[in-house]
Amino acid sequence: MGFQYILSSHKEKKRDVGLRADESAQLSLDFLVGFSIFMLTLIIASSMLSGILIGLQSKKIDYDAVAYRTGVILVEDPGEPNAFPNVVTIEETDQWEFIGYVQNDQVLRFGMSQYKSSPKILAHEKIESFFDRTIYPDLSDYRERIIFGDYPYSFNITLKRLDGGIIKTVGDPYPLDASYGYIRRVVQVKDPSSSTIDMTNYYLPLDGDGEFDVNINFSELVNATKGPKYWVDPLKERVSFTLTDIPAIRDLSTGVPNVVLDSVRLYFLSVDLAGVESYTPLPGSLDLKIDGADKQSSDLPFVVTENISMEFPPGYFIQPSKFTSGDKSAMKLRFQFIPSTANVSDIISYQTVSGYQAPELKLAVLEVRVW
């Protein structure tokens, strides 16, 4: 009996120990669940607390945020409206920089980047339009398109090119004795392309017909294999060129003293229903310089003793482009010299001559102050 009692007591003790072990595990699980609930509650409370404290933030932080956002819009956004690159036909109202004072209400947002794919590369014409107070005489025109919101912020925006070529500013004089939000962005300003054509390379020893054509092919200038910074978009950018050393093509056999330019015509490429391509002359007179003097093509012929230069401002080809067809969009300038005075007959491309100057990128600094 005594021995059996001892064994029984020993089994009861082991059973008690086992129960205590099970109960200990249960308590640990409860602790983990409770701790998890506590942490979740703490996270939710922290997130709600940050929202409650928004109204207690200083105005200086708010001004900095507005200045930063304004700087991003100006240097990384092309603005609205803005046509996609290599679009053959657009209207003036498809590009905000070509919308004048009368229709400036159609400008939804300012932005000086040429394209969305080329942030911090500013278009020359957009810079000129943005800082033109004759188009946007009221500072509210700027607040509505770059700062937004109902609060009447004061602002000052300045663009300085590091080579000193551009110093432009718009807005109120910023306070020297008060705080304001400030952002400084380093950007690149895209200068237009140009082409210098040395006529010495095009003299014909034999008689020529006096025709000299300069082709402006849109699809070649906006080349998809190159980056946007190297594109030349004739619809949006200035195109200029100069024919130099004109006396080099003088017909020596006739003994005439000077070369005479008889006419200058601008042609556009058109394609009929049968797919036949042809160039059709555009109506109207063209501006040009002969030996540095301003002339009209309608006043020709003129004697040329040195050079001929022409410049087409941004947006000039928008109207003529409506006569073009698809990706074959092209223009052609034909210089017709009186054959008895010039031995020349050639066709060249604007961007393939040795004197072609691709667009240059010049460093600049954009400063935005908001208070």
Side-chain angles (χ1 to χ4, degrees):
M1 287 289 293
F3 180 71
Q4 185 177 2
Y5 173 76
I6 292 173
L7 288 176
S8 176
S9 299
H10 181 67
K11 290 179 179 179
E12 290 294 333
K13 289 180 179 180
K14 290 181 68 177
R15 187 181 300 114
D16 292 342
V17 172
L19 288 173
R20 284 197 297 272
D22 292 342
E23 291 172 356
S24 176
Q26 185 67 37
L27 288 173
S28 299
L29 182 61
D30 292 343
F31 174 77
L32 290 175
V33 171
F35 183 74
S36 299
I37 295 174
F38 169 75
M39 291 302 296
L40 182 61
T41 304
L42 181 62
I43 292 172
I44 295 175
S46 300
S47 63
M48 294 177 63
L49 186 62
S50 62
I52 294 173
L53 296 177
I54 286 179
L56 302 179
Q57 294 179 356
S58 68
K59 289 185 177 180
K60 180 65 169 61
I61 297 176
D62 179 54
Y63 290 151
D64 283 336
V66 174
Y68 174 79
R69 182 184 63 193
T70 302
V72 169
I73 291 174
L74 287 175
V75 306
E76 298 185 19
D77 190 85
E80 182 68 29
N82 189 77
F84 290 104
N86 207 17
V87 174
V88 175
T89 303
I90 64 174
E91 301 283 348
E92 286 83 351
T93 52
D94 292 334
Q95 288 289 132
W96 73 262
E97 66 267 32
F98 298 133
I99 297 176
Y101 169 74
V102 176
Q103 295 180 296
N104 67 9
D105 60 327
Q106 297 188 35
V107 178
L108 305 180
R109 186 178 67 254
F110 289 134
M112 291 188 282
S113 172
Q114 184 78 2
Y115 307 107
K116 196 73 173 179
S117 57
S118 57
K120 296 187 289 186
I121 298 178
L122 308 189
H124 196 274
E125 183 62 20
K126 290 184 178 182
I127 293 172
E128 295 297 323
S129 181
F130 176 78
F131 288 100
D132 191 342
R133 295 300 303 278
T134 63
I135 302 177
Y136 309 103
D138 299 325
L139 291 181
S140 60
D141 293 331
Y142 294 88
R143 291 191 188 94
E144 295 169 358
R145 294 170 174 86
I146 53 173
I147 297 180
F148 308 107
D150 298 326
Y151 189 82
Y153 292 102
S154 297
F155 66 91
N156 181 278
I157 300 170
T158 302
L159 179 67
K160 300 177 182 178
R161 209 157 86 171
L162 298 187
D163 63 1
I166 295 179
I167 300 178
K168 293 183 178 293
T169 185
V170 66
D172 303 301
Y174 57 89
L176 300 177
D177 56 350
S179 61
Y180 50 78
Y182 176 77
I183 187 68
R184 174 187 174 100
R185 301 294 301 269
V186 177
V187 297
Q188 293 176 305
V189 176
K190 184 180 179 183
D191 279 351
S193 64
S194 63
S195 191
T196 301
I197 303 167
D198 187 354
M199 297 303 291
T200 305
N201 301 322
Y202 305 102
Y203 172 74
L204 291 178
L206 302 177
D207 290 340
D209 57 11
E211 289 183 357
F212 187 77
D213 294 346
V214 179
N215 285 345
I216 303 172
N217 191 302
F218 290 13
S219 59
E220 291 179 2
L221 291 171
V222 186
N223 191 334
T225 62
K226 300 179 180 179
K229 65 175 66 176
Y230 302 107
W231 290 348
V232 176
D233 192 336
L235 299 183
K236 305 177 185 180
E237 301 177 39
R238 188 185 74 192
V239 174
S240 62
F241 58 88
T242 301
L243 309 183
T244 63
D245 202 6
I246 297 296
I249 61 173
R250 182 169 63 90
D251 190 343
L252 301 178
S253 64
T254 60
V256 294
N258 295 299
V259 175
V260 179
L261 179 63
D262 190 38
S263 65
V264 179
R265 299 296 299 271
L266 178 63
Y267 295 78
F268 63 85
L269 175 66
S270 59
V271 183
D272 61 19
L273 296 177
V276 178
E277 298 180 355
S278 62
Y279 281 93
T280 305
L282 286 173
S285 184
L286 299 173
D287 297 328
L288 69 158
K289 288 181 181 291
I290 296 180
D291 300 332
D294 292 328
K295 303 291 183 181
Q296 288 283 322
S297 62
S298 57
D299 298 331
L300 295 173
F302 281 110
V303 171
V304 185
T305 60
E306 294 181 8
N307 55 63
I308 303 169
S309 59
M310 299 190 72
E311 179 178 310
F312 298 95
Y316 182 90
F317 291 113
I318 289 179
Q319 289 298 328
S321 71
K322 297 174 184 178
F323 297 96
T324 62
S325 175
D327 60 0
K328 297 178 181 179
S329 176
M331 299 285 176
K332 177 172 65 178
L333 269 167
R334 171 164 293 174
F335 295 87
Q336 178 65 63
F337 298 94
I338 294 179
S340 61
T341 68
N343 275 356
V344 66
S345 181
D346 215 326
I347 300 174
I348 66 169
S349 293
Y350 169 79
Q351 77 281 7
T352 59
V353 296
S354 59
Y356 172 67
Q357 178 64 55
E360 290 189 61
L361 301 179
K362 301 295 183 63
L363 286 175
V365 173
L366 182 80
E367 296 178 302
V368 179
R369 295 175 174 87
V370 177
W371 65 96

